[in-house]
Amino acid sequence: MSGVSIRVVGLVQGVGFRPFVWRLAHTLELSGEVWNDAAGVGIEAWGDAAALARFQERLRAEAPPLARIDALDATPLDGPAPSGFSIRPSREGVRSAGIVPDAATCPACRAEIADPRDRRFRYAFTNCTHCGPRLSIVTAIPYDRANTSMRAFTMCSACAAEYRDPSDRRFHAQPNACPVCGPRLWVEDASGPIAAPDPVLAVAAALRRGEIVAVKGIGGFHLACDAQDATAVAELRRRKHRDAKPFALMAREADIPQIAELSPHARALLRQPAAPIVLLPARPGALPEAIAPGQDRIGVMLPYTPLHHLLLEAAGVPLVMTSGNRADEPQVIDNAAAKRALAGIADLWLMHDRTIVNRLDDSVVVADPAAPAVLRRARGFAPAPLPLGDGFAALPPVLAMGGDLKSTFCLAAGGQAIVSHHIGDLAEARTHDDYRTAIRLYREIYGFEPAIVAVDLHDGYHATRWGEALAAESGATLVRVQHHHAHLAACLAEHGAAADVAPAWGWILDGLGMGADGHLWGGELLHADFKHFTRHAHVPLVAMPGGDAASRQPWRNLVAQLWTAFGPDWRREAAQVRTHLPSEPEIRVIERMIETGTNAPLAASTGRLFDAVAAALGLSQRVLSFEGEAAMRLEAVARPAIEATGPYPVAGLDLATLWRSILADLAAGAATGVIAARFHQTLAAMLADATPAVDRVVLSGGVLQNRVLARLLRARFAARGIPTLEPRLFPANDGGLALGQAAIAAVSATRTPAPDEG
Ligand code: ZN
Ligand code: ZN
Ligand code: FE
C-alpha cells in the first residue's frame, strides 16, 4: 500500500472534476479524498503502486470535457491510509480557482431534451456539469448557486438529489434545473406577455412569417429573423439602422453546407464547447446579399443552448442571430431594457426569467486551416486563464487596461494571465460602465490586488485614464506601454515565451496606436522582448486629414495618400479612381489640412492604407458603417484573384510607386479584384523585403486578421526559411492588447529602462 499527493492546476473547478476523481478512485479501488482549493484540485490517494500509476494516467486521459489540466504534480505520501474515498466539502472562505467559460449544451443534455420520456423533454434550460451557463450568471465567488442568478430558483427534490450524488452528471451543477423548479420561457409583444402554450413554437411560426424576434440567450439578447427571407433581412437592417456590418447566423449543422463551405476543420471549430461564430466561405447566391454585404464569408454558429436547439428545430431554417442592441450600444441583457431598447425593432420577444449577470457577446473565429484565429474572444473562451512562460510566476500582479476599441483587460499573476471577455468600444457610456463593472467582478473572483497597472501610451484612451485613476487610488505602480510593442508581446506571451525571452522580430500591422515619438504608428517592424523594443522600419507616414474622421471616411485617406505620393498635382494622376470624391471645395479643405498639418496627424498606418486603396477601387462607401469595413471588402475581392497575380515592381517601402502602379491598372481598366490582389501581393513583398535575415517573425496587429495578407506574408517568409509566429487564441487586434501590456509591465517593473527605448 502506498500513498500519493496530487495537485491539479488548470480549469478544474465547476467542470465535474471532483466527481470524476471520485468515480475513478472507486473504479481503481483507491482510498483517500479530493477537494477544491485556491490553487485548483487537491487529491490524496492510497492503493497499490500499479493502481496509483494508472490513476494518474487516467486523470489526464479521461478528464471531463470542460476540464483543462495545465499541470499535474504528484509527490509520495506517508501515513495511514483512510478507509474509502470521499469528496471533502469546500470550506467556507476558501477562495476558488476561478470561473470556467460558458459551454454549449452537451450531447447528453441534447439527448434528454429530445426524449419524450425524459423529465427534461423540451426543457430550454437543461444543463449539467459538462455544459451550460457559467461566467454569464456569476455575481461573486465562490462559484456556488447562491452566487449566481440561479439563486432565485430553489431546486426540486429530484434536482437536489442529482446535485448531491457524486455518481450523477449533475453533481454540484450549480445551474441545475428542470421544468418543475427552474427558469421558464414566455413570449411578449410590444404591449406585454401574450398567450402561447409553447413559446418556442409560437416564435418559430413568427420567424417563418418574416417577423423579427428578440431572443434572450445566455450572454445577452439576439435579434433573429429567417436568414433566407430577403425582405425580413432588409427590414432588420432598416430597423436597426445597420448598413453593412455583417449579420451572424445560427444554423443546424446539417443545414450549413447549403449556405457555406463546411470543411472538417471548420466543423471542429463550430463544435467546440465555446460554440463560437465561425467565419466560413459563403456559397454564392445561397443567402440574401444583405446578410453580409460585400463579404465572401459568413459568420455561422451552431445552436449552443437548449433554447436555441429547440428554436432552430422548430424554425427549420438558418436564422440571423445578430446582437440585440440599438446602433452602437452594447447588447441588452435584461428584460425591461430589451423591451425599451428593441421597441420598434422586434415584433416579438422570447423572454425568460434567468437573469444574465455578465453580458457576453458571441466569440468569433476564422476558419483558416493554416492558421485558425480567434477574432473576438468572449462567450465560451473567457475567462479561461493562459499559462505564461517561465519566470512569470515570480513577478508582481499586473492589471492591464487594454485599449478603447474592442476593449478587454487582463489580470496577470502567479504565472498566468486572465484576459477578460470582449467588452467593446469604451467611447459608448454603457460599454464603459460594463468595463468598470467587469474589472470589479474579475478582481473579486480572483482575489486580485494589482501591484502594477499597465496602460497604453495614448493618454486620450478612456482605458488609460481609468487605469491612471485605479493606480492612484490603490498605490499601484503605473506602467505605460507602447501600443505595438504590446501587440508583439501578446503574441509572444500567448506562445509561452519566458519572461527573459530573447528579442523577437515582428511586423505589427495595425490601424492606429500612439508611437513613442508622438506620431501615430500602425505598420512597424519591431525588435522586442518583454522589456524594451527598437523600431527598425515602418510604412511611410501619411497625414490623416480630420484625425478620427479619416478613420471613418476612407476617401480622406485616399486624398492624403495621393497628395503625399504626387504632390499638389495629384488630381492629374488620380482621374481614374473609382470612387466618387466629394466636391472641390470639400477636397480643398482636406488639401489645406494636409499642407499645413492642421488637424492632420501623421500616421504610419497600414489600416488607413487599406482604406485608401479600397476607396480608390470604389469599394468603400463615403462613410464606413464599421471599422475595417473597407479593408474587409478589399480582402474579399482579392481572395479569388490572388493565385493568378503577382506583386507590382516596387523597391522598398515606396508608396508612390505602389500608387502609380495601382493608378496605371485603373487607367487600363483592370478588374477590381485583380488590383486588390496585386495590392496584397505588393504589400507582402514590400514588408518581407524590408525584413533582415532573422530567425523568426511575429505577425500581429488588427490588419493581420486579413487572411489573404497573413497567408502571403507567411509564404514569403517561409520561402526565405523564416518561420512566423501569429496570434491564435487571442485577437491580433486591440482585443489582445491587454495581454501584451500585462506581460511587458510585469517584466519591466523589475528593470531599469534601456537607453534605446522609444
Ligand atoms: Zn450537459
Ligand atoms: Zn427540478
Ligand atoms: Fe492596435
Side-chain angles (χ1 to χ4, degrees):
M1 197 71 141
S2 46
V4 64
S5 166
I6 300 172
R7 167 125 314 275
V8 191
V9 177
L11 289 177
V12 289
Q13 293 182 4
V15 295
F17 203 86
R18 287 173 304 161
F20 154 68
V21 172
W22 181 88
R23 282 193 295 272
L24 190 57
H26 278 269
T27 309
L28 295 169
E29 296 177 347
L30 305 177
S31 63
E33 56 180 354
V34 56
W35 66 91
N36 276 348
D37 60 24
V41 164
I43 306 169
E44 288 182 358
W46 278 266
D48 72 65
L52 284 176
R54 251 195 330 278
F55 180 61
Q56 289 172 59
E57 281 164 28
R58 290 179 65 178
L59 279 178
R60 278 190 184 279
E62 298 169 23
L66 298 184
R68 189 189 84 194
I69 297 176
D70 293 336
L72 194 155
D73 295 318
T75 47
L77 200 61
D78 295 328
S83 61
F85 196 95
S86 60
I87 296 176
R88 192 198 290 172
S90 297
R91 261 168 311 175
E92 200 58 45
V94 171
R95 196 167 279 282
S96 71
I99 303 293
V100 293
D102 302 69
T105 308
C106 75
C109 287
R110 286 182 62 184
E112 287 172 345
I113 64 170
D115 179 358
R117 293 157 308 176
D118 194 277
R119 71 190 190 93
R120 291 188 173 86
F121 178 54
R122 294 186 63 74
Y123 182 55
F125 304 92
T126 302
N127 68 82
C128 72
T129 42
H130 306 320
C131 72
R134 295 289 189 277
L135 178 60
S136 59
I137 57 168
V138 172
T139 54
I141 53 119
Y143 175 65
D144 282 336
R145 191 173 176 102
N147 287 328
T148 71
S149 56
M150 285 301 292
R151 69 179 301 169
F153 306 92
T154 306
M155 274 188 271
C156 68
S157 57
C159 286
E162 294 165 341
Y163 183 90
R164 284 192 306 262
D165 177 2
S167 70
D168 194 280
R169 202 170 91 245
R170 296 193 166 92
F171 177 72
H172 282 215
Q174 305 303 345
N176 190 23
C178 78
V180 173
C181 65
R184 62 184 191 90
L185 284 174
W186 71 93
V187 188
E188 295 191 22
D189 65 14
S191 55
I194 56 175
D198 186 323
V200 169
L201 295 182
V203 161
L207 290 167
R208 297 298 299 257
R209 288 195 301 270
E211 291 183 21
I212 294 165
V213 183
V215 178
K216 187 177 183 180
I218 211 162
F221 276 80
H222 286 113
L223 285 163
C225 73
D226 178 350
Q228 295 173 337
D229 182 339
T231 313
V233 174
E235 183 63 12
L236 177 55
R237 281 211 181 275
R238 194 187 64 76
R239 292 188 196 172
K240 236 192 138 184
H241 303 290
R242 181 151 151 171
D243 297 334
K245 198 168 183 182
F247 285 149
L249 307 178
M250 184 179 278
R252 294 176 297 185
E253 196 173 320
D255 292 338
I256 295 176
Q258 280 112 61
I259 57 173
E261 276 174 44
L262 187 55
S263 64
H265 158 76
R267 208 181 278 275
L269 293 176
L270 284 162
R271 283 180 179 175
Q272 59 189 312
I277 295 170
V278 181
L279 293 184
L280 302 172
R283 281 213 189 288
L287 288 171
E289 166 70 10
I291 295 281
Q295 307 299 329
D296 60 343
R297 297 180 302 200
I298 50 170
V300 186
M301 59 188 150
L302 296 178
Y304 56 81
T305 69
L307 171 56
H308 295 140
H309 283 289
L310 296 169
L311 186 59
L312 268 286
E313 277 310 315
V317 289
L319 298 177
V320 166
M321 278 291 213
T322 188
S323 63
N325 57 355
R326 262 187 193 284
D328 296 326
E329 292 177 2
Q331 190 179 23
V332 291
I333 60 173
D334 86 55
N335 294 1
K339 288 302 290 283
R340 262 195 324 272
L342 306 179
I345 302 178
D347 298 305
L348 290 176
W349 284 256
L350 180 55
M351 296 287 205
H352 63 70
D353 55 359
R354 185 175 68 204
T355 302
I356 298 170
V357 178
N358 299 305
R359 173 171 62 82
L360 288 172
D361 294 281
D362 294 311
S363 293
V364 182
V365 171
V366 62
D368 176 349
V374 172
L375 306 185
R376 181 167 76 197
R377 188 175 172 279
R379 176 189 51 77
F381 292 126
L386 169 76
L388 295 170
D390 289 346
F392 277 98
L395 298 177
V398 182
L399 169 62
M401 307 303 287
D404 269 13
L405 291 173
K406 304 169 178 85
S407 93
T408 62
F409 57 88
C410 174
L411 319 180
Q416 62 177 22
I418 291 142
V419 177
S420 76
H421 56 282
H422 161 95
I423 293 169
D425 179 357
L426 299 189
E428 164 61 40
R430 269 180 244 184
T431 310
H432 200 173
D433 288 346
D434 285 354
Y435 171 76
R436 295 178 182 206
T437 307
I439 291 174
R440 262 196 304 277
L441 177 77
Y442 275 63
R443 283 178 68 177
E444 192 191 325
I445 289 176
Y446 297 99
F448 188 87
E449 262 320 307
I452 300 166
V453 174
V455 296
D456 193 270
L457 280 186
H458 198 313
D459 53 16
Y461 279 176
H462 299 277
T464 302
R465 291 198 217 129
W466 186 233
E468 288 166 348
L470 284 179
E473 167 196 303
S474 66
T477 306
L478 188 76
V479 175
R480 296 181 196 274
V481 180
Q482 199 280 322
H483 190 100
H484 304 97
H485 185 199
H487 275 305
L488 193 152
C491 185
L492 293 177
E494 177 191 330
H495 291 280
D500 62 353
V501 68
W505 293 85
W507 273 108
I508 309 303
L509 308 179
D510 207 20
L512 293 169
M514 180 57 70
D517 59 0
H519 288 309
L520 294 165
W521 295 2
E524 318 303 313
L525 176 62
L526 302 182
H527 187 227
D529 56 20
F530 291 124
K531 294 197 192 76
H532 61 272
F533 71 94
T534 48
R535 185 186 189 216
H536 287 259
H538 59 86
V539 301
L541 288 164
V542 173
M544 278 183 41
D548 281 350
S551 294
R552 292 187 300 272
Q553 301 177 10
W555 66 268
R556 288 174 182 253
N557 298 293
L558 176 59
V559 170
Q561 287 279 346
L562 297 178
W563 196 95
T564 307
F566 307 115
D569 288 341
W570 66 272
R571 277 189 193 71
R572 254 211 321 265
E573 306 278 345
Q576 303 298 329
V577 297
R578 290 178 186 167
T579 194
H580 292 290
L581 289 172
S583 64
E584 265 304 305
E586 239 181 300
I587 290 189
R588 271 198 291 277
V589 171
I590 299 300
E591 284 186 294
R592 212 153 27 243
M593 285 180 173
I594 301 168
E595 276 165 18
T596 61
T598 314
N599 192 21
L602 291 175
S605 168
T606 322
R608 296 302 87 80
L609 175 61
F610 268 83
D611 286 353
V613 173
L617 301 190
L619 291 172
S620 84
Q621 307 175 32
R622 175 110 194 251
V623 179
L624 295 181
S625 59
F626 64 99
E627 199 219 357
E629 179 188 2
M632 282 168 65
R633 285 175 185 254
L634 195 62
E635 178 187 358
V637 298
R639 207 179 328 267
I642 210 77
E643 303 302 338
T645 56
Y648 297 120
V650 177
L653 293 166
D654 172 11
L655 294 183
T657 308
L658 170 65
W659 279 107
R660 198 164 285 119
S661 309
I662 291 173
L663 295 174
D665 256 2
L666 283 166
T672 302
V674 168
I675 304 175
R678 284 184 185 154
F679 164 67
H680 280 82
Q681 292 273 16
T682 311
L683 185 62
M686 286 163 64
L687 298 172
D689 292 351
T691 313
V694 298
D695 58 344
R696 190 174 68 172
V697 175
V698 169
L699 299 176
S700 192
V703 170
L704 279 161
Q705 296 198 331
N706 179 320
R707 293 291 92 189
V708 172
L709 183 64
R711 183 159 61 87
L712 292 172
L713 279 168
R714 212 178 292 135
R716 291 228 160 236
F717 285 116
R720 289 171 57 189
I722 302 174
T724 54
L725 194 67
E726 297 171 59
R728 293 275 183 275
L729 305 176
F730 295 87
N733 65 26
D734 288 4
L737 203 61
L739 173 60
Q741 292 173 344
I744 291 168
V747 175
S748 304
T750 55
R751 54 107 195 186
T752 45
D756 59 345
E757 188 173 356

